[in-house]
Amino acid sequence: MAGFTPARPMPDRLPAAGQTKLHARGTRPGEKRAMTALWNTIAVAFGLVMAFPIYWMILTTVKSNHDLLAQDPTFWPTHFDLSSYRTVFSDPDFLNSMRSTAIITIGSVIAGLVVGFLAAVAVARFRFRGRNPFIVAILVVQMVPLLTIAIPLFIVLNKAGLYDQYLGVILAYLVFTIPYVVWTLRSFIVNIPVELDEAAMVDGCTRWGAFFRIILPLSMPGLVTTGVYAWIQAWNEFVLANTLLSSNGKRTSMVWLSFYSASPTHGADYGSQMAGALLVSLPVIILFVIFQRRVASGLTAGAVKG
Amino acid sequence: MSAIQSDRREQGVERLDGPFPAPKGRRRGVTVQGNYIPYVLILPAVVTLIGVLGYPLVRVIMLAFQNVNSYLRLAVPSLDKWIGFQGFGRVLSDSQFWSVVERSFLFTVEVVTISIALGLGFALVLNRVSPWAKIFVSTVMMFVWAVPALVTGTVFRWLFAGIGGVVDYIFYLFGGSGMRNHDWFANANEGLYVVVAIAVVWGALPFLVLGLNAAMTQVPRELVEAAKVDGANPAQQFRHVILPIIRPFLLLCTSLSFIWDFQVFAQIWALRQNSPEPGYWTVGVYLYEEGFTSSHYSTSSVISIAMILLMLVVLIAYIRQVVKIGGQG
């Protein structure tokens, strides 16, 4: 990808593109329109199939138990019945689990951002002995399967008295938040012109002052993007939460959902299972919708743009 | 964005006191003084990662050579014994371990192949559709992307339920009357290679379609047009123009998919209501069952090490690829 500059659709190029189209054989306007219609149909069909599980989850939550037990499921709601939501909210552990997840997620995102930002500044602004090993280590750390460290983390936190404590899970989540924050923020900080740091320092700012007065505010977009993604990862995490927390009131919402939908009372009650599934995913879905462009580019940026 | 670029900028920092005619000795003194700064900055990250990752990994290796196979042994460390490679011998001679490994590889290859093929295909389709269709598909993708893996498993258990499941009903509507109340999970092979695979592919597609499509938008339009003028058919255009440009990202996606799918856990866990039958055990589920359900901490650690070793080739390829892309202009 190094050879050429990435082309952007520039308006002044359009006439040229039109010219080449004239030369291309077998693409009459009518045929082209038919092809586009075909591709549109395929794309819409694909979108509908992909959307169906989510639609079905939401539809199930507003169906009555009677409808759910019917032999032939209907593909649209006949009448809205919110009793599934009532069942979920009447489970005392549900709201507790949402609170636990919020505490753990906020704690690990903030800790990850603070620690990760400092390391990202070091990697982006300094050349020091051990820099490249540090970068490679960050990459390697991201790839260690969480399952393989679940048992030793359980043993270590147990010994430290942090088993079944929020703090223990927050610390455990730093395993994946710190590397991600360092790796992503690094590219944001590199793009902040170093001349700004210099100018601040010429004006009498200390080097540390430049970090906090220049780099920190300018990397806010990066901090938001990485924060959102770290939030999503922490909110959705299941394996570590399942192994490091044991008391009912402290379980995260994912663990709550897994226990709820396997319990004898609700194991076959798909209305409330789907209501629970929807409610525990809502905080993440809302974040995704608000930050969708940023999150999508943040996730693919590292790979496409380097 | 690259390491090279940042190096140049760092030199900019070093030149900082250029405008001030400072004596050479003092200048060197300042940089020597400032040398501690990067180390202070990375210290919290290094300490935390050693604590929550480095030490646990050392513990995994220690456990693998010990006999901590009950909660009692864990609680009373004086009972622990070093047993050398005995633990490895026991796991490697266990036929269940090898069937789990075989199942994991088959499942991973199946899911990676399908999801990469579909991802590439629909990324190409998205390149040719009208803007409204692209917005529609991208919006759906964002919602699917946001669904947690555990929720995916729960939802797909309901879709494929034997009683009241909509998939059975759709089959029935299209004439498969024998599919009514079909139990997809009774046969573990069908449950794993069909239902779990569909659930995992569904969850993986948004990243692949949007990512590959983003990579394809980097392909200059002029190049495709030029190939068309030269008489290249769509297959040739893809093979000789688009593919070489998206290859780095495609390799990255493939190795990432392999790494993710090989450790699949939450979907299987939710699809089988927290107690997957042995026929559903992939490496991740197997080591969890051994470690937490049976309290065989040492056996589970041996399996953990085996799991990392089995992924090592792909892991190294992935990291090399990231470093390579990161080092380009």
Side-chain angles (χ1 to χ4, degrees):
Chain A
M1 270 200 273
F4 52 84
T5 49
R8 297 211 172 160
M10 279 177 283
D12 56 333
R13 291 262 174 97
L14 283 178
Q19 255 177 15
T20 49
K21 244 176 236 158
L22 284 181
H23 292 291
R25 262 153 274 168
T27 47
R28 288 188 306 277
E31 198 174 316
K32 195 160 191 253
R33 215 175 301 141
M35 285 310 284
T36 307
L38 175 69
W39 295 124
N40 283 350
T41 317
I42 293 175
V44 169
F46 171 63
L48 290 177
V49 169
M50 290 295 283
F52 183 76
I54 297 178
Y55 170 72
W56 199 251
M57 163 167 74
I58 297 169
L59 180 68
T60 304
T61 63
V62 297
K63 278 184 173 178
S64 65
N65 268 338
H66 180 262
D67 284 349
L68 289 176
L69 293 173
Q71 183 75 345
D72 298 337
T74 51
F75 286 87
W76 42 86
T78 42
H79 58 277
F80 287 88
D81 182 335
L82 297 178
S83 62
S84 294
Y85 289 95
R86 268 196 295 279
T87 316
V88 169
F89 278 105
S90 69
D91 187 55
D93 289 337
F94 170 68
L95 283 176
N96 280 338
S97 77
M98 291 296 260
R99 204 194 50 203
S100 307
T101 319
I103 294 172
I104 290 170
T105 304
I106 293 172
S108 62
V109 168
I110 292 178
L113 281 180
V114 170
V115 175
F117 171 75
L118 295 177
V121 170
V123 171
R125 280 290 195 258
F126 294 91
R127 199 201 321 208
F128 54 95
R129 190 171 297 175
R131 175 174 173 268
N132 285 343
F134 180 71
I135 293 178
V136 173
I138 286 289
L139 275 173
V140 172
V141 164
Q142 272 183 303
M143 287 299 120
V144 174
L146 288 182
L147 274 165
T148 61
I149 56 164
I151 283 169
L153 266 178
F154 160 72
I155 294 172
V156 170
L157 292 176
N158 205 2
K159 208 176 268 177
L162 291 174
Y163 174 68
D164 201 24
Q165 301 284 330
Y166 292 141
L167 182 62
V169 185
I170 291 174
L171 286 175
Y173 281 9
L174 293 178
V175 169
F176 54 84
T177 49
I178 291 179
Y180 177 75
V181 172
V182 174
W183 186 247
T184 320
L185 270 187
R186 178 194 69 103
S187 59
F188 272 97
I189 295 173
V190 163
N191 280 346
I192 299 170
V194 97
E195 289 75 13
L196 292 177
D197 301 19
E198 294 172 10
M201 283 160 75
V202 168
D203 289 347
C205 213
T206 62
R207 205 163 231 196
W208 289 94
F211 297 153
F212 293 106
R213 287 165 195 236
I214 307 295
I215 300 179
L216 184 60
L218 284 175
S219 51
M220 263 306 155
L223 284 167
V224 172
T225 309
T226 44
V228 167
Y229 186 65
W231 174 287
I232 292 168
Q233 272 189 308
W235 189 278
N236 291 355
E237 205 285 325
F238 173 67
V239 173
L240 293 181
N242 196 23
T243 50
L244 300 179
L245 296 168
S246 63
S247 47
N248 274 343
K250 285 181 179 166
R251 282 183 183 138
T252 66
S253 46
M254 289 305 143
V255 182
W256 170 82
L257 178 67
S258 83
F259 275 95
Y260 185 82
S261 56
S263 66
T265 31
H266 301 288
D269 175 10
Y270 280 103
S272 66
Q273 279 186 40
M274 291 302 112
L278 182 64
L279 289 170
V280 301
S281 345
L282 264 189
V284 170
I285 293 180
I286 293 171
L287 269 184
F288 245 94
V289 171
I290 298 175
F291 294 101
Q292 65 155 294
R293 196 152 297 171
R294 274 200 186 157
V295 174
S297 61
L299 289 185
T300 50
V304 184
K305 287 192 275 172
Chain B
M1 279 242 182
S2 68
I4 301 157
Q5 221 176 338
S6 62
D7 288 349
R8 187 168 53 74
R9 290 214 164 111
E10 281 137 25
Q11 283 161 8
V13 178
E14 304 304 334
R15 274 192 275 109
L16 187 80
D17 34 13
F20 305 98
K24 268 221 158 124
R26 206 193 123 215
R27 237 171 98 178
R28 255 181 54 203
V30 170
T31 33
V32 167
Q33 252 179 23
N35 262 348
Y36 70 94
I37 291 182
Y39 297 106
V40 173
L41 288 172
I42 64 167
L43 188 68
V46 171
V47 170
T48 319
L49 288 179
I50 288 176
V52 292
L53 188 76
Y55 180 64
L57 280 178
V58 172
R59 266 320 281 267
V60 168
I61 297 169
M62 283 164 61
L63 278 171
F65 292 100
Q66 287 175 323
N67 65 339
V68 190
N69 274 333
S70 66
Y71 188 76
L72 178 71
R73 287 232 163 80
L74 190 68
V76 190
S78 56
L79 293 173
D80 295 354
K81 261 191 279 178
W82 293 91
I83 55 167
F85 283 93
Q86 256 180 54
F88 284 88
R90 212 178 306 135
V91 169
L92 295 182
S93 61
D94 184 358
S95 65
Q96 184 168 31
F97 171 76
W98 291 108
S99 67
V100 164
V101 168
E102 187 193 343
R103 188 178 301 125
S104 297
F105 269 109
L106 282 176
F107 176 81
T108 307
V109 169
E110 179 205 359
V111 171
V112 170
T113 313
I114 295 176
S115 49
I116 291 288
L118 289 178
L120 258 183
F122 286 109
L124 277 169
V125 168
L126 277 198
N127 254 359
R128 291 153 183 260
V129 297
S130 313
W132 63 264
K134 188 167 180 175
I135 290 171
F136 169 71
V137 173
S138 310
T139 311
V140 170
M141 291 295 161
M142 293 316 291
F143 279 102
V144 174
W145 203 338
V147 175
L150 193 88
V151 171
T152 305
T154 314
V155 171
F156 275 75
R157 176 155 43 79
W158 169 225
L159 292 174
F160 284 87
I163 298 166
V166 66
V167 174
D168 282 356
Y169 184 60
I170 292 174
F171 270 107
Y172 165 75
L173 285 184
F174 284 95
S177 54
M179 291 300 284
R180 192 141 224 194
N181 297 338
H182 175 72
D183 187 350
W184 291 85
F185 299 104
N187 177 352
N189 283 336
E190 189 180 314
L192 183 71
Y193 295 111
V194 179
V195 184
V196 179
I198 291 177
V200 174
V201 169
W202 181 78
L205 275 182
F207 167 72
L208 293 172
V209 171
L210 295 185
L212 286 168
N213 184 255
M216 282 176 195
T217 55
Q218 307 248 317
V219 178
R221 200 161 284 250
E222 295 85 343
L223 280 186
V224 181
E225 294 290 341
K228 246 189 244 175
V229 171
D230 291 344
N233 62 33
Q236 288 169 322
Q237 286 165 30
F238 175 75
R239 166 98 179 65
H240 297 289
V241 181
I242 299 175
L243 194 58
I245 294 176
I246 63 167
R247 180 170 285 134
F249 185 65
L250 186 63
L251 287 176
L252 212 72
C253 282
T254 314
S255 39
L256 260 186
S257 301
F258 182 93
I259 292 163
W260 287 335
D261 297 339
F262 197 70
Q263 358 171 342
V264 60
F265 179 81
Q267 289 95 331
I268 295 178
W269 200 251
L271 273 162
R272 297 315 299 134
Q273 290 189 299
N274 300 3
S275 41
E277 298 83 351
Y280 287 89
W281 289 7
T282 56
V283 176
V285 181
Y286 183 45
L287 83 84
Y288 193 92
E289 290 283 346
E290 279 290 330
F292 289 99
T293 314
S294 321
S295 295
H296 294 158
Y297 305 107
S298 287
T299 310
S300 176
S301 300
V302 172
I303 302 167
S304 298
I305 292 173
M307 181 180 182
I308 295 182
L309 290 179
L310 288 171
M311 295 164 65
L312 206 59
V313 175
V314 183
L315 282 175
I316 291 173
Y318 167 78
I319 289 167
R320 279 183 54 150
Q321 187 69 15
V322 172
V323 171
K324 210 168 108 190
I325 292 180
Q328 275 178 359

